[in-house]
Amino acid sequence: FGGASVKDASGVKNLLSVLEKVGYKDTLVVVSAMAKTTNALENIIEVYFDNKQSINQNLLELEEFHLKIVDELFENRATKLSQLVHNYFEELKTFFKKNKAKNYSFVYDQVVCYGELLSTTIIHHYFESQGQKSFWLDARECIKTDDYYRSANLNWEQTQSSINSKVKGHQFIITQGFIGSNSNNFTTTLGREGSDYSAAIFAYALNAESVTIWKDVPGVLNGDPRVFKNTELLHQISYREAIELAFYGASVIHPKTLQPLQRKEIPLY
């Protein structure tokens, strides 16, 4: 589920109703950051490096955005969850205070990961409150990469064995897209819009039956609807055509997503 599909409380409720329709058993759900959270965190990083003003105000606004969603999901404010949300923002403040690294990409990855940690924590707690047991998995314990911050390369062998050991024994799992970690356990990211790629990595490692990417569009069209009128929906295309479309800029699919799926012929919906 991309950020647009979990942009507010009704999006989170819709996510639950979608899963009630399609079923939970042996399902792993990968979720992006809510709405424009990644953009907001990128803006906070810019402010931090420019030293123009205090970033605390920006952090407070983002915290309030998430707490508003918590309030709308839980009629009596979920104190435990609100505290968890608050703790994430305290961790961010501590990082900014203590960080000595000047490497922009390193700082970027340590900060933007909070978008996904927040969204999945809120969703996990909402599901539990609705009687749906779920296992919250920190993707950074599974997706193992090199140190190439902001566009990390996967260590496939290590990732595959980590995923299989962490997922074992759990039937319904909620985890984050886009994020991983290196050998020193520093957070890394897989490149913008990398959540689809994360879904493909998990699918590959778990020999999934299929991957479904839930979008706010009907599917892959034969042209960019923002540029062309009367675009047509493509009901089925080959991996090769999809890779070509993604390579030439079709933003509906992340270019790296298709390669692991093609290797095991896992269908993508």
Side-chain angles (χ1 to χ4, degrees):
F1 289 91
S5 54
V6 289
K7 66 177 187 284
D8 51 25
S10 65
V12 173
K13 288 175 182 173
N14 183 54
L15 194 151
L16 181 63
S17 67
V18 163
L19 288 161
E20 279 167 350
K21 285 192 191 89
V22 299
Y24 295 95
K25 199 174 178 321
D26 295 332
T27 299
L28 183 135
V29 175
V30 175
V31 185
S32 299
M34 290 171 154
K36 301 287 180 202
T37 300
T38 306
N39 292 354
L41 287 165
E42 285 178 342
N43 182 44
I44 287 164
I45 296 162
E46 295 294 336
V47 171
Y48 168 74
F49 273 102
D50 292 346
N51 285 326
K52 282 180 186 154
Q53 69 215 67
S54 163
I55 54 171
N56 286 356
Q57 184 53 37
N58 305 54
L59 286 168
L60 187 64
E61 281 168 24
L62 194 55
E63 182 175 351
E64 280 168 1
F65 165 75
H66 285 87
L67 287 174
K68 183 173 180 279
I69 292 173
V70 171
D71 278 348
E72 288 168 7
L73 289 172
F74 299 85
E75 279 160 27
N76 48 346
R77 178 172 258 197
T79 320
K80 186 187 169 194
L81 177 55
S82 299
Q83 190 57 51
L84 286 173
V85 168
H86 179 67
N87 292 349
Y88 280 135
F89 283 93
E90 288 304 304
E91 282 174 26
L92 270 170
K93 282 180 196 167
T94 305
F95 171 77
F96 283 122
K97 267 194 201 119
K98 294 190 167 174
N99 173 56
K100 299 279 189 287
K102 298 277 192 283
N103 179 340
Y104 181 93
S105 295
F106 169 78
V107 171
Y108 181 98
D109 281 4
Q110 308 323 299
V111 172
V112 291
C113 62
Y114 280 90
E116 279 69 18
L117 296 172
L118 282 157
S119 66
T120 52
T121 299
I122 292 169
I123 289 163
H124 165 66
H125 280 265
Y126 176 67
F127 279 18
E128 296 271 311
S129 77
Q130 299 302 302
Q132 180 50 56
K133 281 264 166 267
S134 62
F135 174 65
W136 186 87
L137 174 65
D138 189 335
R140 296 173 298 181
E141 293 177 8
C142 297
I143 308 287
K144 303 308 284 183
T145 73
D146 62 9
D147 301 338
Y148 196 68
Y149 297 105
R150 294 186 73 188
S151 195
N153 301 294
L154 220 61
N155 178 329
W156 278 99
E157 210 173 301
Q158 211 185 341
T159 296
Q160 204 160 350
S161 99
S162 300
I163 289 173
N164 281 292
S165 71
K166 295 282 178 193
V167 163
K168 210 174 181 179
H170 300 287
Q171 287 200 328
F172 179 54
I173 298 140
I174 294 172
T175 193
Q176 308 78 32
F178 178 56
I179 66 175
S181 68
N182 63 16
S183 56
N184 294 316
N185 288 326
F186 283 117
T187 305
T188 55
T189 63
L190 305 173
R192 276 304 293 263
E193 309 302 330
S195 289
D196 297 356
Y197 183 37
S198 297
I201 295 163
F202 277 104
Y204 179 89
L206 296 167
N207 293 314
E209 274 176 31
S210 66
V211 175
T212 304
I213 297 172
W214 295 88
K215 293 274 188 187
D216 50 356
V217 291
V220 179
L221 304 168
N222 66 345
D224 185 341
R226 291 166 299 191
V227 179
F228 301 101
K229 281 180 190 165
N230 311 321
T231 51
E232 284 174 34
L233 186 63
L234 303 172
H235 293 284
Q236 193 170 353
I237 55 173
S238 68
Y239 293 108
R240 195 176 164 184
E241 285 173 306
I243 288 167
E244 213 166 280
L245 273 171
F247 181 77
Y248 287 109
S251 58
V252 73
I253 310 170
H254 188 277
K256 286 181 179 172
T257 301
L258 294 144
Q259 286 143 352
L261 300 180
Q262 184 184 27
R263 261 182 263 160
K264 288 195 177 178
E265 297 189 352
I266 298 168
L268 172 70
Y269 296 108

